[in-house]
Amino acid sequence: MDEELSAFKDAYELLLTIGEVHKKRIILNQRKELLDIIDLLRDAKTNGKVIHIAGMGRSRIAGMIIGEMLKILGYRVSIMGETLAKPVRRDDIVLAVSASGWTTTTCIMVEGAIKLGAKIIALTATPRSKLDRLADITLYLPGRGVPEEIPYEIRQITGRHKTPLTPMGTVSETNAILMGIGISQAIMSVGDPIKKFEEAITKTLENARRSLNQILAEKEEIIKIISTLSAGVKNKDPQIFLVGAGICKLVALMTAIRYQHLALNVLGLDDWKFRKKGDILIVISGSGESVIPLVYAQEAKETGIKVYAITANKESTLAKKADVVIHLLDTATREEYLKLKIRDEKPAFIPAFEYTALITLESTVAQIAEDHGILEEEMRSLHANIE
């Protein structure tokens, strides 16, 4: 294994391994809770109830990704605290995500929803936390500790690298998304929902493993991205923008937060007008044909900004505009969509590309932190401390 990508590969493989272990733990230890959540969501769909997403920071975005999957299945979804948030009614469902289970704003939202008669589904890594005790049903997420079921050689990684996964929730957040992928498939299944839950997560993780091989086969591309970003840790230049559409937009937001923890000069798209020659635009698009990301890519090229594309379509318009292309794989159903441009709105939708893009970018953070000797405490000091 090339030393220049050792932390990247370690982090990537560790996320996949924990995801597999967590899937088995949920099926073994929380089968009843999982079935109760599936029944609750099915009833909500039948009765036209709203699914409200509660959370803060990256946990909130993870919840929003689950919400996007539910929207595709025809659910009414609202994000609590947003301008167009819907009112909470009796028997609506609040899906609350918080690794700590003590996030003040999240718990306040949940308490208010309980008073209005809503049912609470919690995703948290902390049993007996306030959120856990408020919830009607809780699915437990893996926390910062590494489960003993994980192979010894993988557990060794966490001892060698102080921040192999980057701090503050990476494992919990990525596994919350995996739970959402499994649940979104299970609630629409005709047969055994647990089997469908397991199959969906397995397919997602297998796709990510195949993509890792693809990345390493074309390692010069990921090395270029890491090297350029790494230079910005000390120089505070270039400015970095990230863009995507749909779930890819949410992946971009999650990554932007983590890059900010590295002290990189990350700007939101509201500050796009301040772009300048030599900046970086990271574009995430499975098809490589999403209109809004392509507009940003074109403007970037006209400004002299480097375009880094993360896509499942090497022949796409985006790939042709990009300076660097990270080619990830996708499920067969989604790959067929990329070729035919016919959207499949059936339950077969699994955001395997989006999940893979997220852990790929998470792993670049681990590599940059390793290269610069950035400790978790330093990254934590750059984390927003007002909810």
Side-chain angles (χ1 to χ4, degrees), residues 16-130:
L16 294 181
T17 304
I18 293 176
E20 182 65 30
V21 169
H22 184 227
K23 176 194 70 176
K24 293 176 180 177
R25 275 189 161 188
I26 290 292
I27 293 172
L28 180 64
N29 300 329
Q30 289 204 276
R31 178 181 289 263
K32 180 183 183 302
E33 289 83 355
L34 182 56
L35 288 170
D36 287 346
I37 289 172
I38 292 166
D39 288 341
L40 195 60
L41 288 170
R42 284 174 169 172
D43 289 344
K45 176 77 177 297
T46 300
N47 297 316
K49 297 300 179 180
V50 177
I51 312 300
H52 303 269
I53 306 299
M56 294 298 294
R58 282 169 47 105
S59 292
R60 180 174 185 263
I61 300 172
M64 291 169 69
I65 290 175
I66 298 173
E68 287 297 313
M69 289 184 259
L70 293 175
K71 283 183 188 178
I72 290 170
L73 300 180
Y75 281 82
R76 298 170 63 205
V77 176
S78 176
I79 312 303
M80 299 180 79
E82 287 203 345
T83 303
L84 296 179
K86 296 177 176 64
V88 177
R89 309 290 191 192
R90 178 167 293 280
D91 294 328
D92 280 354
I93 295 174
V94 173
L95 175 64
V97 184
S98 170
S100 72
W102 292 98
T103 307
T104 302
T105 305
T106 303
C107 289
I108 288 173
M109 289 178 178
V110 167
E111 288 176 316
I114 290 172
K115 292 176 182 177
L116 294 167
K119 295 181 171 63
I120 312 300
I121 298 172
L123 297 180
T124 181
T126 314
R128 303 305 301 160
S129 61
K130 184 172 184 178

Side-chain angles (χ1 to χ4, degrees), residues 224-225 228-229 280-283 306-310 322-324:
K224 287 177 186 175
I225 291 180
T228 307
L229 292 172
I280 295 172
L281 175 68
I282 299 175
V283 186
K306 294 178 182 177
V307 176
Y308 294 163
I310 299 177
D323 297 283
V324 176

Side-chain angles (χ1 to χ4, degrees), residues 4 52 69 79-80 94 150 219 263 279 288 291 323 337 346 369:
E4 55 197 341
H52 303 269
M69 289 184 259
I79 312 303
M80 299 180 79
V94 173
I150 290 179
K219 63 183 180 181
D279 286 345
V291 176
D323 297 283
Y337 160 65
K346 299 175 184 177

Side-chain angles (χ1 to χ4, degrees), residues 185 196 203 207 210 312 329-353:
Q185 295 299 295
K196 186 62 70 173
K203 185 178 290 187
N207 183 79
R210 291 190 302 123
L329 304 179
D330 208 341
T331 60
T333 302
R334 293 283 298 283
E335 287 176 348
E336 192 65 22
Y337 160 65
L338 297 180
K339 294 175 185 176
L340 302 178
K341 304 297 185 292
I342 299 174
R343 178 168 290 283
D344 183 1
E345 297 292 355
K346 299 175 184 177
F349 172 82
I350 296 176
F353 166 80

Side-chain angles (χ1 to χ4, degrees), residues 21 23 46-47 52 69 81 128 151 192 203-204 230 239 241 247 254 262 264 266 279 317 359 370 373:
V21 169
K23 176 194 70 176
T46 300
N47 297 316
H52 303 269
M69 289 184 259
R128 303 305 301 160
D192 180 1
K203 185 178 290 187
T204 302
S230 189
Q239 298 176 138
F241 299 88
I247 295 177
M254 290 187 81
L262 287 171
L264 293 173
V266 184
D279 286 345
T317 304
I359 66 170
E370 174 86 354

